[in-house]
Amino acid sequence: GAPSPPASGAPSVSPGEQPIDNLEGIDGRVPIALPGRIEVYAGAVSITPGQPLTLHVSTMAAGYTFSIERLDATLPSGGVVVARSAARNGHDYRSLGTFDALDRTARANWPVTDTVATPGWAPGIYIVTARDSKGTTGQAIVVVRTPVLAAGQPTFVFPALTYQAYNLWGGANLYAYAGPRAVRVSFERPYALEGGLGFWGKGDDRILRWLQLRGLPLQFTTDYDLSLDPPAVAPRLLIIPRHAEYVTAALRDWVEQHVNTAGDMNVLNLGANGFYWQVRLAAPRTPGAPLDVVCYRSAAGDPYAAHDPALATTRWREAPLNRPEGMVFGAQYVAVVGNGYTRYGLTVTDRMPAELLAGTGWQAGTEIRGLLQGEGDLVYPASGGIAIMDGQAALATGAPLTTSVTIRTSPAGARVFSAGTFAWADGLEPARVALGVSAASFDRFNRNVLAWLGFPPSS
């Protein structure tokens, strides 16, 4: 039977962890094929400047080194290396992994192998690259967050909760790729995707690069940190990159308060399918580790739901939550576009404000090709959202699919731009996709969007 739910607001505590007997998984059901190459994960989702950064490294090789780089597109190299290690002795810690048969949570449980001092590190996105003496490489992504967000600066939100929801390291995530899906996932493990970088190379990297090259004075935080400690003062512009699908009640409440009630925070959402599932944060296995992410993806299946329905881990738009995500973004998820990889175009509508078209040469009927891909959102009528571009696509079955690029002004006066596609970032790097319009015009449109949101770019 399900454990009794905890008191409201308390972490939901996991059933006991079970050790992995071998790298095949337990009960013969879960494939646990841990890579033979070096892997690394950080001991925290984010740190503040000056806070020590702990790393957990496992390798089959005798030795390894690592370097840490802060991404900065304004530099010719694209970043600055802030730390390099001396040669370190390697250890293979893969046998320490555990897998919980009840909630299907995989954890690496590797010891801290390295502690890095961070005095003087600027807030930003940092990439850890570890190389071992066998020639293999593993990476990790770390956010050095802005300690106290200032109202006047745009803030880039790293969507760590969604990165972790999709993380298949150890054989299970919140999806069902390798057997039944997990209902709880842990930050105590590397990201399986992209050699340890998760979704970063899918578009978030291009979004950050474009913003830096336009001279925005960015602050940095994560959805995890906004969930744990929502700031008293909201930044004037919150920037959500490609995919923030999983969010906590604390984060959703904070965004709605400042967008819909106070009206003192605008939102630039450069992705799709945002704020789709509610999650809770729960006590980790290791004291001091980041909290786990819990999502049953069903109110009926969530033992907590009967005790506190408002925290049920289901779709925000469904009972008992009944809080459609379109009431934040002006649009909300409708479907996977095509087969998930097919590209479609977006057509400017006659509801596009002139100030967003200024200098682009675009007009109603202008098509921007190739930017609708992955998942698509559609304008949500009750929200005041306005479809400024229409996506004309198809489902995998061939049935027609309409999506929207959307703007919204909340009753309190806050402004929201929502791209409604996973591939908007591709247009920010001209060589990546044939837009059918000039790269300069697409750049100008995005500059106009920033100006509409209160932050005209300086470069």
Side-chain angles (χ1 to χ4, degrees), residues 10-237:
S12 57
V13 179
S14 169
E17 297 274 328
Q18 297 185 20
I20 296 174
D21 295 322
N22 54 53
L23 298 185
E24 303 293 324
I26 60 173
D27 301 331
R29 295 183 294 108
V30 183
I32 308 287
L34 299 184
R37 63 174 172 80
I38 191 172
E39 289 194 294
V40 55
Y41 64 98
V45 177
S46 73
I47 60 169
T48 53
Q51 181 181 352
L53 170 64
T54 57
L55 301 178
H56 304 250
V57 178
S58 175
T59 174
M60 297 174 69
Y64 68 94
T65 60
F66 65 85
S67 62
I68 304 176
E69 178 185 33
R70 180 183 184 272
L71 299 180
D72 184 348
T74 66
L75 300 175
S77 62
V80 57
V81 175
V82 296
R84 292 186 192 275
S85 77
R88 309 280 291 154
N89 291 329
H91 297 277
D92 184 356
Y93 291 119
R94 291 177 300 165
S95 64
L96 299 181
T98 54
F99 189 85
D100 187 319
L102 294 179
D103 55 28
R104 297 182 59 80
T105 308
R107 303 177 197 273
N109 303 313
W110 302 340
V112 173
T113 54
D114 302 274
T115 301
V116 184
T118 68
W121 287 23
I125 305 296
Y126 289 71
I127 304 296
V128 181
T129 302
R131 297 179 178 86
D132 67 20
S133 51
K134 288 179 176 284
T136 75
T137 301
Q139 293 185 297
I141 190 162
V142 176
V143 179
V144 176
R145 72 182 184 276
T146 304
V148 179
L149 297 179
Q153 288 180 268
T155 299
F156 183 93
V157 181
F158 179 79
L161 300 177
T162 297
Y163 275 49
Q164 199 55 259
Y166 282 88
N167 184 10
L168 200 54
W169 190 97
N173 60 10
L174 296 183
Y175 293 81
Y177 301 132
R181 54 184 176 76
V183 297
R184 183 184 186 115
V185 289
S186 168
F187 283 100
E188 298 178 70
R189 55 182 183 153
Y191 289 124
L193 281 174
E194 303 294 330
L197 296 184
F199 284 143
W200 185 248
K202 303 289 188 185
D204 292 348
D205 56 343
R206 296 185 283 288
I207 291 168
L208 176 61
R209 209 150 45 222
W210 187 86
L211 293 166
Q212 289 179 328
L213 289 171
R214 298 302 165 269
L216 262 69
L218 294 174
Q219 305 180 104
F220 291 86
T221 190
T222 74
D223 53 358
Y224 175 90
D225 293 288
L226 291 173
S227 298
L228 286 181
D229 188 18
V233 176
R236 185 60 186 148
L237 178 60

